[in-house]
Amino acid sequence: MKEVKKLTLGLASAAALFSSSLLAQDTVKVGVLHSLSGTMAISETSLRDILLFTFDEINASGGVLGKMIEPVVVDGASDWPTFAEKAEQLLAQDKVAATFGCWTSVSRKFVLPVYEKYNGLLFYPVQYEGEEMSPNIFYTAEAVNQQAIPAVDFLLEEGYTKFYLIGTDYVYPQTTNLVLFEYLKSKGIPEENIGGGLRKENGEVISAGKYTPFSHTDYQQIVADIKSFAAGGDAAVLNTINGDSNVSFFKEIAASGLTADDCPIVSYSLSEDEFRSLPTADLVGHLGCWTYFMSLDTPANEKFVENFQEWLKTKAPSSVQKEGRVTCSPMVLSYDGVYLWKAAVEAAGTFDVDAVNAELEKGISFDGPGGTVTTQENRHLTKNVYIGEILEDGQFEILESFEDVYGEPFLKGTF
């Protein structure tokens, strides 16, 4: 009787091992690396949500190479060393085939050596300053020439001749504003018409604009400075503030009485998603420039928004907020990134990073919610660009669009 019991237990253990092995063979792990807490959670939590939606959508249609996507979600916690620790966990411990994540450039800079060390693959979806190209990062993000510069061109065409630069004190705003400073000078804008302050070393401008720390809340003096700068007319603000500081900044703008008619503000890190936490009635008439707006009137976008809303109602995990959800450009560039990775894996016939990279660099197109996106040899995307005006309901009225704009990451010193 004991022998029979041992045999039964042995068969059960073997079956469990076989089942576990089969499960491992039938799934592929991918990483989700975003801030789900801290100052950047206002923006990044929605990127986790759209990634979970995308994985479910792909799994429902058969997965990738016949394998179901198994997400491994970690919290960067708006802390840059934590991002690096979580990246190492995803690559060394969880053995993910690819990671989708990061918002701030400083978080990307912290994880970059980790991805290079382990030969991992990170898809980075948020507008950034350029001046970088790693073989272990694919930048679905807007480069400066796909967001910041088109917005400046629009304002120049509208007759604006003075530009105040403001941002959060880290890599993306500092570098972007240096590029914009060079670009404005090349367009004939004199230094005295570029506000926020210039810092020079040996006669060379090394910093342009006014900067505040993450989570900064007191914008009274800065807004007073902007109001004085704009008093003569024809002035606009180029805003690269990131995270929840935008709430304090725009509340102070509203309290000052400054309107979009007095001095329009074009924001590079504010989208429909952040508007859920802002007094949008006070933002009416201000501007945004992205490669997607929720208000795009196309069948592909209508289907995307409808499917996301249905997923929220029926399939989203309990950790996902269900009510009042919108879509935005960083969400769509995350969505596009997953489908481009899927296409590259299937073209390569393997999840191997080097093989997938080779396919991405050949040029793969995907008809996404913002229009067709195409991978480039320089690991960026060709995509459409849209300029919009903020409406009271937190959406954008599209004022101008540019089709198939090539992503160019290296702009400093080229104007």
Side-chain angles (χ1 to χ4, degrees):
M1 196 69 179
K2 287 182 180 178
E3 293 301 318
V4 172
K5 188 174 182 181
K6 283 182 183 178
L7 179 61
T8 302
L9 288 171
L11 289 171
S13 298
L17 285 170
F18 177 76
S19 175
S20 174
S21 173
L22 188 64
L23 180 64
Q25 291 171 7
D26 288 343
T27 63
V28 56
K29 288 183 178 180
V30 300
V32 176
L33 176 56
H34 280 299
S35 294
L36 308 180
S37 58
T39 187
M40 291 307 303
I42 184 177
S43 297
E44 292 193 64
T45 300
S46 288
L47 301 196
R48 175 212 52 189
D49 298 347
I50 203 70
L51 287 168
L52 296 178
F53 158 72
T54 311
F55 301 150
D56 280 353
E57 187 174 77
I58 289 173
N59 285 343
S61 64
V64 183
L65 289 183
K67 294 181 181 291
M68 298 294 104
I69 296 173
E70 179 186 342
V72 182
V73 180
V74 293
D75 180 10
S78 305
D79 177 73
W80 323 132
T82 298
F83 266 88
E85 291 169 12
K86 296 298 184 181
E88 184 146 27
Q89 174 199 317
L90 289 171
L91 293 167
Q93 180 180 319
D94 297 308
K95 308 289 187 185
V96 297
T99 304
F100 300 86
C102 296
W103 182 293
T104 67
S105 287
V106 67
S107 65
R108 190 191 71 253
K109 295 286 188 184
F110 264 77
V111 306
L112 188 153
V114 181
Y115 280 87
E116 292 184 343
K117 174 184 176 182
Y118 289 96
N119 195 31
L121 179 57
L122 171 70
F123 284 79
Y124 178 66
V126 184
Q127 84 290 343
Y128 89 121
E129 71 286 349
E131 308 304 316
E132 178 182 297
M133 191 169 72
S134 167
N136 296 93
I137 299 179
F138 198 90
Y139 307 82
T140 62
E142 288 102 343
V144 173
N145 76 306
Q146 295 174 315
Q147 189 195 36
I149 284 176
V152 168
D153 284 341
F154 176 82
L155 291 167
L156 288 169
E157 289 168 7
E158 291 290 306
Y160 291 93
T161 58
K162 297 175 67 180
F163 299 86
Y164 192 102
L165 312 181
I166 183 169
T168 302
D169 193 6
Y170 77 104
V171 180
Y172 162 63
Q174 287 274 9
T175 306
T176 297
N177 283 334
L178 270 178
V179 172
L180 290 178
F181 172 76
E182 291 179 5
Y183 187 69
L184 288 167
K185 292 265 290 182
S186 77
K187 293 296 183 179
I189 303 299
E191 283 190 14
E192 60 266 25
N193 281 12
I194 302 173
L198 301 177
R199 189 157 59 91
K200 298 183 179 182
E201 279 186 7
N202 301 320
E204 181 182 349
V205 174
I206 61 168
S207 178
K210 180 76 70 177
Y211 297 95
T212 58
F214 282 98
S215 296
H216 189 71
T217 58
D218 183 5
Y219 284 93
Q220 186 173 357
Q221 184 56 51
I222 291 173
V223 170
D225 189 34
I226 291 172
K227 193 169 184 179
S228 175
F229 178 81
D234 295 332
V237 174
L238 309 180
N239 172 27
T240 49
I241 295 173
N242 260 254
D244 53 11
S245 290
N246 275 296
V247 177
S248 301
F249 174 64
F250 275 98
K251 282 182 177 177
E252 191 62 44
I253 288 286
S256 76
L258 267 178
T259 68
D261 291 332
D262 304 321
C263 179
I265 300 168
V266 57
S267 298
Y268 298 131
S269 293
L270 275 185
S271 68
E272 296 92 334
D273 197 51
E274 286 77 24
F275 291 159
R276 295 185 298 141
S277 303
L278 287 165
T280 51
D282 298 327
L283 274 66
V284 171
H286 292 298
L287 304 171
C289 183
W290 295 95
T291 54
Y292 166 87
F293 286 127
M294 186 175 174
S295 55
L296 277 171
D297 186 15
T298 65
N301 184 44
E302 183 179 338
K303 181 182 178 184
F304 168 72
V305 173
E306 182 181 308
N307 289 348
F308 178 59
Q309 294 295 337
E310 180 63 23
W311 177 82
L312 289 169
K313 292 175 186 175
T314 59
K315 295 181 180 178
S318 59
S319 59
V320 172
Q321 183 181 333
K322 313 296 192 298
E323 302 301 320
R325 299 304 301 271
V326 293
T327 54
C328 66
S329 189
M331 293 170 75
V332 164
L333 292 176
S334 298
Y335 178 83
D336 291 347
V338 180
Y339 273 98
L340 290 168
W341 169 75
K342 175 181 184 290
V345 167
E346 291 173 346
T350 175
F351 293 100
D352 176 75
V353 167
D354 292 334
V356 170
N357 268 330
E359 294 299 330
L360 287 168
E361 291 176 6
K362 288 179 185 177
I364 294 173
S365 292
F366 172 66
D367 294 329
T372 300
V373 297
T374 303
T375 64
Q376 303 170 181
E377 189 176 359
N378 69 1
R379 309 187 61 72
H380 289 69
L381 287 183
T382 298
K383 46 190 177 282
N384 298 340
V385 175
Y386 305 95
I387 294 171
E389 181 178 304
I390 301 170
L391 303 176
E392 192 165 355
D393 63 357
Q395 292 293 316
F396 286 90
E397 178 185 354
I398 297 171
L399 304 178
E400 195 164 344
S401 61
F402 311 87
E403 290 189 359
D404 300 327
V405 180
Y406 184 86
E408 177 49 68
F410 298 103
L411 293 174
K412 283 180 71 175
T414 63
F415 303 116

